[in-house]
């Protein structure tokens, strides 16, 4: 049982980071980035191709992170330009449709051109003992990386004036403009972050199981589910919801079955929308 | 109630005087019968190829799906991203009721259609009760679609899981033959058009337009927005279920991919966006166009998604109202201002 | 310092305010009074970049800022506190104030001035802005605006929902700041209070400026008295 819960936490941390990247963009810019999973996959491919070209693993990972950040920037400068021109619901709707279009284009191409590509980072060394449970080294390393990244995120948002500025845009966009903050610039920063976070998830996931080109849409779906439960624009909410859903998912998969476990997650998200649309820690409309 | 309404070919049961109803009927029947006549020629052309006839039947099924989606989204602005799932209730429902339960096929189709209708109506009712906006309605229905897909995969005993369900009933029936299946599907699609057309011309259609344009104003004008939304969902979902069920019987098998989001919803959205969201004949244009396009792309496997993705972007950026309304606008502008 | 000429603004093509022309000189305290719906909020929003005016010009310190987005206008040395305040609800009083100084770090001296003016804020430094009362939120909104040491402070209905005692306190605090060189532009419905603390005023009625003059002149004007001072 402890082993399952620990596995659930490992999964939960991944969920949390995915949701963090997704929820920041949704909470700050009102943009639903349905191509988020593809950003993760493309970053993973960058790492894969670098490694195949002989680049040592740490450098390849760095390339992957940079790729993620660049993808976020490219998104901001291209596909999101027409989306920014709308406000409110029109913006969310258009972002949903346009990013879905991009997602399909990327997914279709990758699956056709590199159907078998998969990123898998082997962490050498035997299992590590955690409170009596032998955990795979890859799970531990990946989880530690995610925890560090979360720590960095919290430090950024609470401790730096830029981080506070970003939060203020999520809190009240007009209010942030009234103190001289440019929401478009903040959104660009957040999109770059979002891309990097997607890359981190792809890399850490590959330490546990291979990340294939088909992982795009499942990643986006998970990001959406956890974001909905955790609340818009809240990184803490993302982490909390991620951990809860990670544990529930692992328990359900073990005792009930894979498909029904996914249904439970989906239902959790639906119930959250129906009962408490702002999520666990989101901004109440 | 909605079932019988659809079957009662063309008589305007809702609103309007008897004479008004007859006039509406004529101006609607003529284009619809014209479309029917043109589409009836397809078997003459493709009749020899079983494969191509199957494609044509699928095209008609998609036309049916798109008309249903048009009624739900185009008329009342409810973003139902579970078109495939609702059609799947019709398809799997028919298969299960016909084979496992042993009911006669028309009865199975009827029950499955009602089931789809009720589920769609329920989703709409929930969305209305919880005041879910367009986005959250979309997310909730997407969740339902994904849950349904996983349900099909998970309940292998009942549904055949990933490999699907081979339908034993009706192997010698009307829906097994390619031409007869085609004409049955065509008839159903034409009925859908007539139903939608009549709804639009009735006071129901007026209510739809009012609530889509300005919900607050509509409420003030006395339109019970919630009720009309649910009506639209009930009728539209019935169409989805029926089309899904008939298609299933004409294929003799169903599998999760038949009704998956990436197979159905994406395509339906593109078809409707292309044809014209809210336009009556848009779905026919969209379905015809993309069935043909899809045939040319079928050898490319996953690469097919690339043009679909590109089209979604292009359509929603530059031709958001779809081809038929945009062309209509252009023609109106060319004619110049009315004196 | 602030010059508005022929400004018109509204929603979706329909102008709510027309041909607005007025001035605020350095060191002055000017009021714009008018009843609900006269267009004060529309006017201010279009002047300070929260929406775009359809006609006319706005100049601050001689520089044309017409249609400039809010985040750029406020960097020129003015601060606008709208009626809705737009505070950051899940951030503390301290964080809200700190952001007022963006992009600079909050100046400790300025912070202590703000806390002197509004002692209640000092008591609630770590409280989340969203949990405070209306009066406290108003003080916080003004305090946040002051953190950047603006030369012009624009307030849209600063005393709405405030108990009379608090409203008086707020204006007294503003008078103190005036003494230190702050220029003030206020839109008010609570006319008597505004009149006591301002030099000049304009009356906005149905989207146009119908009267102008010194505050004393307006206070004595019979039309103003009957419409806004409840004197028959």
């Amino acid at each position: 049982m402890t082993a399952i819960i620990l596995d659930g936490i490992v999964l939960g941390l991944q969920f949390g980071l995915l949701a963090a990247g997704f929820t920041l963009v949704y909470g700050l810019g009102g943009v639903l980035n349905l191509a988020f999973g593809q950003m993760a996959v493309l970053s993973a491919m960058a790492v894969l191709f670098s490694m195949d070209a002989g680049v040592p693993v740490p450098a390849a990972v760095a390339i992957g992170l940079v790729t993620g950040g660049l993808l976020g920037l490219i998104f901001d400068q291209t596909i999101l330009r027409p989306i920014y021109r709308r406000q409110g619901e029109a913006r969310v709707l258009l972002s949903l449709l346009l990013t879905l279009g991009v997602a399909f284009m990327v997914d279709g191409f990758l699956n056709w051109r590199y159907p078998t590509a998969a990123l898998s980072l082997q962490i050498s060394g035997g299992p590590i003992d955690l409170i009596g449970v032998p955990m795979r080294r890859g799970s531990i390393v990946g989880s530690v990386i995610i925890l560090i990244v979360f720590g960095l995120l919290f430090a950024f948002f609470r401790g730096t004036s830029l981080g506070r500025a970003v939060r203020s845009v999520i809190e009240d966009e007009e209010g942030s403009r009234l103190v001289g903050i440019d929401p478009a610039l903040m959104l660009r920063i957040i999109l770059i972050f979002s891309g990097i976070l997607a890359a981190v998830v792809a890399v850490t996931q590959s330490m546990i199981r291979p990340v294939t080109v088909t992982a795009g849409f499942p990643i986006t779906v998970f990001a959406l589910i956890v974001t909905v439960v955790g609340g818009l624009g809240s990184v803490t909410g993302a982490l909390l919801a991620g951990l809860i859903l990670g544990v529930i998912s692992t328990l359900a998969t073990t005792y009930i079955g894979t498909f029904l476990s996914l249904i439970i997650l989906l239902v959790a998200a639906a119930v959250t929308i129906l009962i408490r649309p702002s999520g666990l820690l989101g901004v109440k409309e | 109630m909605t079932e019988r309404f659809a079957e009662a070919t063309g008589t305007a049961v809702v609103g309007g005087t008897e004479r008004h109803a007859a006039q509406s009927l004529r101006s609607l029947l003529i284009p619809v019968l014209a479309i029917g006549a043109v589409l009836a020629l397809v078997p003459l052309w493709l009749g020899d190829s079983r494969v191509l006839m199957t494609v044509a039947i699928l095209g008609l099924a998609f036309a049916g799906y798109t008309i249903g989606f048009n009624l739900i989204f185009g008329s009342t602005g409810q973003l139902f991203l579970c078109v495939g799932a609702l059609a799947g209730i019709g398809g799997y429902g028919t298969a299960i009721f016909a084979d496992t339960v042993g009911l006669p096929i028309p009865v199975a189709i009827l029950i499955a259609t009602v089931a789809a209708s009720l589920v769609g109506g329920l989703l709409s009712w929930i969305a209305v009760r919880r005041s879910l906006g367009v986005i959250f309605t979309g997310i909730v229905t997407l969740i339902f679609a994904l849950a349904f897909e996983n349900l099909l995969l998970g309940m292998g005993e009942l549904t055949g899981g990933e490999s699907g369900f081979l339908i034993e009933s009706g192997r010698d029936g009307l829906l097994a033959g390619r031409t007869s299946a085609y004409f049955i599907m065509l008839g159903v699609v034409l009925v859908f058009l007539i139903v939608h057309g009549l709804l639009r011309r009735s006071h129901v259609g007026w209510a739809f337009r009012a609530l889509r344009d300005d919900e607050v104003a509509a409420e003030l004008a006395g339109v019970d927005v919630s009720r009309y939304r649910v009506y639209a969902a009930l009728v539209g979902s019935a169409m989805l279920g029926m089309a899904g069920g008939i298609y299933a019987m004409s294929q003799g098998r169903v599998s999760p991919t038949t009704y998956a989001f990436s197979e159905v919803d994406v395509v339906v959205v593109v078809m409707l966006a292309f044809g014209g969201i809210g336009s009556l004949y848009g779905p026919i244009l969209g379905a015809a166009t993309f069935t043909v396009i899809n045939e040319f792309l079928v050898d490319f496997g996953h690469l097919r998604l690339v043009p679909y993705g590109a089209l979604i972007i292009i359509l929603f950026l530059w031709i958001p109202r779809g081809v038929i309304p945009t062309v209509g606008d252009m023609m109106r502008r060319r004619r110049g201002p009315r004196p | 310092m602030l010059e508005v000429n022929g400004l018109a603004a509204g929603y979706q093509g329909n102008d709510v305010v027309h041909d607005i022309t007025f001035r605020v000189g350095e060191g002055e305290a000017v009021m714009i009074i008018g009843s609900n719906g006269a267009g004060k909020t529309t006017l201010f929003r279009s002047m300070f970049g929260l929406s775009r005016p359809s006609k006319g010009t706005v100049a601050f310190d001689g520089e044309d800022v017409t249609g400039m987005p809010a985040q750029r206008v406020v960097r020129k040395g003015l601060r606008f506190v709208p009626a809705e305040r737009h505070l950051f609800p899940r951030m503390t009083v301290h964080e809200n104030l700190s952001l007022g100084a963006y992009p600079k770090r909050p100046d400790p001296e300025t912070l202590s001035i703000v806390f002197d003016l509004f002692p209640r804020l000092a008591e609630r430094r770590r409280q989340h802005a969203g949990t405070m009362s209306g009066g406290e939120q108003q003080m916080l909104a003004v305090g946040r605006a002051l953190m950047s040491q603006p030369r012009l402070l624009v307030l849209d209905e600063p005393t709405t929902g405030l108990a009379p005692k608090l409203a008086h306190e707020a204006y007294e605090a503003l008078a103190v700041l005036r003494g230190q060189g702050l220029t003030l532009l206020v839109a008010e419905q609570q006319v008597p209070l505004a009149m006591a603390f301002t030099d000049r005023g304009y009356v906005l009625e149905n989207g146009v400026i119908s009267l102008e003059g010194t505050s004393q002149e307006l206070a004595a004007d019979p039309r103003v008295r009957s419409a806004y001072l409840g004197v028959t």
Side-chain angles (χ1 to χ4, degrees), chain A residues 56-134:
Chain A
V57 173
V61 168
I63 291 178
L65 297 184
V66 168
T67 307
L70 271 176
L71 285 171
L73 183 62
I74 293 174
F75 247 68
D76 176 75
Q77 298 294 305
T78 59
I79 202 81
L80 293 184
R81 291 279 123 222
I83 291 173
Y84 292 158
R85 265 176 253 140
R86 324 264 161 124
Q87 299 296 326
E89 208 172 67
R91 181 189 281 192
V92 188
L93 204 49
L94 190 62
S95 69
L96 189 160
L97 292 162
L98 295 189
T99 55
L100 191 63
V102 172
F104 277 119
M105 290 179 71
V106 173
D107 201 71
F109 175 74
L110 286 179
N111 272 287
W112 171 77
R113 184 78 178 76
Y114 306 106
T116 55
L119 177 68
S120 188
L121 289 182
Q122 307 291 5
I123 305 293
S124 54
I128 300 180
D129 209 75
L130 189 65
I131 56 171
V133 179

Side-chain angles (χ1 to χ4, degrees), chain C:
Chain C
M1 193 182 237
L2 182 69
E3 271 197 37
V4 176
N5 276 301
L7 198 75
Y11 302 102
Q12 294 170 317
N14 296 318
D15 282 344
V16 169
V17 292
H18 314 270
D19 202 27
I20 305 290
T21 300
F22 69 92
R23 270 154 203 56
V24 179
E26 190 152 354
E28 283 192 301
V30 175
M31 67 177 177
I32 298 191
I33 57 178
S35 49
N36 232 350
K40 304 190 291 300
T41 299
T42 313
L43 174 63
F44 276 8
R45 286 179 63 93
S46 67
M47 280 168 63
F48 300 112
L50 288 181
S51 66
R52 312 202 70 172
S54 53
K55 289 189 208 69
T57 61
V58 181
F60 180 66
D61 270 355
E63 186 186 344
D64 184 5
V65 297
T66 322
M68 196 181 270
Q71 60 265 24
R72 283 174 58 206
V73 181
V74 299
R75 299 237 189 170
K76 306 278 176 191
L78 64 85
R79 274 293 192 263
F80 169 41
V81 182
E84 311 87 25
R85 300 175 205 135
H86 289 297
L87 294 170
F88 308 124
R90 288 176 309 171
M91 298 173 87
T92 63
V93 166
H94 186 88
E95 285 177 318
N96 270 272
L97 291 175
S98 302
L99 278 165
Y102 187 85
K104 303 205 191 82
R105 322 215 79 227
D107 175 33
E109 226 182 89
T110 320
L111 197 56
S112 69
I113 294 177
V114 170
F115 282 140
D116 283 339
L117 283 173
F118 304 117
R120 254 176 263 237
L121 291 182
E123 291 163 27
R124 291 163 170 67
R125 283 180 86 122
R126 305 230 169 274
Q127 190 174 337
H128 282 201
T131 60
M132 302 200 311
S133 72
E136 290 160 352
Q137 286 188 351
Q138 189 58 48
M139 289 191 256
L140 180 57
V142 175
R144 183 178 70 176
L146 292 172
M147 287 300 294
S148 64
Q149 296 162 348
R151 289 176 297 122
L152 169 65
L153 183 62
V154 183
L155 302 170
D156 188 2
E157 305 209 12
T159 57
T160 312
L162 287 192
K165 178 165 165 287
L166 277 176
H168 224 266
E169 272 178 36
Y171 269 107
E172 274 167 8
L174 292 173
V176 169
L177 291 166
R178 273 204 68 205
Q180 297 170 355
L182 181 67
T183 309
L184 203 57
L185 173 61
V186 188
E188 259 297 2
Q189 264 191 75
Q190 290 202 33
V191 177
L193 203 51
M195 281 188 166
F197 285 92
T198 54
D199 306 322
R200 287 192 301 114
Y202 298 86
V203 178
L204 190 65
E205 262 178 315
N206 297 320
V208 291
I209 294 184
S210 55
L211 281 174
E212 57 180 275
T214 67
S215 299
Q216 283 169 313
E217 286 168 2
L218 291 176
D221 187 301
R223 287 165 290 179
V224 174
R225 288 171 73 84
S226 63
Y228 300 105
L229 298 178
V231 179
T232 41

Side-chain angles (χ1 to χ4, degrees), chain A residues 174-189:
Chain A
E174 275 204 354
S176 70
R177 291 171 66 196
L178 290 169
V179 294
I181 295 171
D182 182 1
L185 178 61
M186 296 299 126
L187 187 51
R188 190 171 315 148
I189 293 175

Side-chain angles (χ1 to χ4, degrees), chain B residues 174-205:
Chain B
L174 276 175
L175 284 171
R178 296 297 79 188
T179 318
S180 47
Y182 181 86
F183 279 113
I184 291 178
M185 194 62 115
L186 179 58
V188 167
V189 169
L190 294 179
V191 167
F192 285 178
L193 277 181
I194 294 173
V195 166
H196 191 183
L198 285 174
L199 278 179
R200 279 160 67 108
R201 285 159 168 74
S202 70
H203 79 274
V204 176

